[in-house]
Amino acid sequence: MADVVFFDLDGTLVDHRSAVLETIVQTAPNATAPPEELVTLWWTLEARHMREYLTGQCSFAEHHRRRLRSFLPMLGEPVPENPGLLDAWIAERYLTVFEESWRCYPDVHPCLETLKRLPQGPRLAVLTNGDPEQQRAKLARFGLLEYFEAILTPPELGAAKPVAYAAACRRMRTDPSQAVNVGDMLGSDVNAAALAGLTGIWLDRGIDFVTGGPSPTVDETVLRIERLTDLPDHLSTTNV
């Protein structure tokens, strides 16, 4: 069995997409565009500006401001020039609702409990590109911190997924060939992990994280599970 199993957080342990959808619906009741269209735009802006943050082009607060500058016109609202007003909008109208909308997937605790009880089972870590404070708050909210030896984020590793796997393995004192990464994103969680020498396992929850449509079709070479509760048995049959 693997020495270390890394878990992605958003879309894997916590239902990030539903939280964003709920937040947008409550935050933008008078928007002319439908909620799904607004959410898709939010994902697009998140991907673009989160990448800028992760590559050191802007601060975490500024990446939020950049998102909002492009998003407010879709709500029919003016874009403040003062960064403090943008920060206040994010804090008061987005983050408050967003944090209340976090939900832990029901298969998370049973999976982690099973792994915890395995004799000589793997060590567990979270590997996420999210903000360290916010990600730890999610894990604490749902009583998940106790299961993980480490919570690894870009500031701690000096890199973000998809290039953070080598640093994560060094931090956990393991060889990539003895590590597994589990996540819902084929590109950054599965394919990039495999390129780094880990075993990538795709958690296919039946929905595309960005579009909300059906999951992409993959060939049978991709290691795939539909529920986290399938993971313990999958690990026992995976040649790691």
Side-chain angles (χ1 to χ4, degrees):
M1 186 172 287
D3 175 36
V4 173
V5 176
F6 295 106
F7 287 84
D8 173 55
L9 201 163
D10 293 318
T12 300
L13 304 178
V14 173
D15 188 352
H16 182 71
R17 190 175 202 284
S18 294
V20 171
L21 179 58
E22 185 175 333
T23 303
I24 295 302
V25 169
Q26 293 191 47
T27 300
N30 300 317
T32 55
E36 287 290 348
E37 184 176 327
L38 292 173
V39 170
T40 298
L41 172 62
W42 189 257
W43 294 139
T44 303
L45 296 172
E46 178 179 285
R48 178 189 308 160
H49 298 306
M50 178 63 82
R51 192 178 307 115
E52 293 168 350
Y53 159 66
L54 293 171
T55 56
Q57 298 177 49
C58 67
S59 67
F60 190 74
E62 177 59 25
H63 112 278
H64 267 148
R65 295 176 197 131
R66 293 180 180 185
R67 272 201 249 176
L68 193 55
R69 290 186 185 106
S70 298
F71 191 70
L72 282 176
M74 289 290 290
L75 306 184
E77 297 185 23
V79 180
E81 293 185 10
N82 186 332
L85 294 177
L86 295 170
D87 294 343
W89 195 102
I90 288 288
E92 297 166 11
R93 290 184 56 183
Y94 182 79
L95 288 179
T96 300
V97 180
F98 177 58
E99 292 173 4
E100 292 175 352
S101 302
W102 292 341
R103 301 289 183 272
C104 182
Y105 289 108
D107 54 3
V108 174
H109 278 279
C111 169
L112 297 177
E113 277 295 321
T114 299
L115 292 175
K116 180 181 177 181
R117 292 194 297 266
L118 288 176
Q120 299 181 326
R123 295 178 292 137
L124 309 180
V126 171
L127 178 56
T128 171
N129 281 350
D131 173 66
E133 182 178 351
Q134 188 179 80
Q135 300 300 66
R136 285 182 171 84
K138 291 176 187 174
L139 295 168
R141 167 90 59 88
F142 302 113
L144 299 177
L145 283 171
E146 66 181 87
Y147 294 101
F148 298 105
E149 184 174 315
I151 313 301
L152 304 177
T153 62
E156 286 129 348
L157 295 176
K161 293 186 290 185
V163 298
Y165 292 105
C169 288
R170 287 193 298 270
R171 180 64 66 91
M172 294 299 292
R173 306 172 306 284
T174 194
D175 189 270
S177 65
Q178 297 300 310
V180 168
N181 189 72
V182 181
D184 64 298
M185 302 293 283
L186 270 173
S188 59
D189 291 325
V190 180
N191 298 335
L195 286 174
L198 293 77
T199 297
I201 297 180
W202 180 35
L203 175 59
D204 177 12
R205 292 197 178 277
I207 186 171
D208 184 275
F209 186 82
V210 174
T211 68
S215 299
T217 301
V218 297
D219 63 49
E220 58 187 24
T221 63
V222 175
L223 299 178
R224 173 182 170 275
I225 57 176
E226 294 182 354
R227 296 167 295 275
L228 276 179
T229 44
D230 295 334
L231 180 63
D233 286 340
H234 205 80
L235 290 175
S236 67
T237 60
T238 300
N239 187 25
V240 179

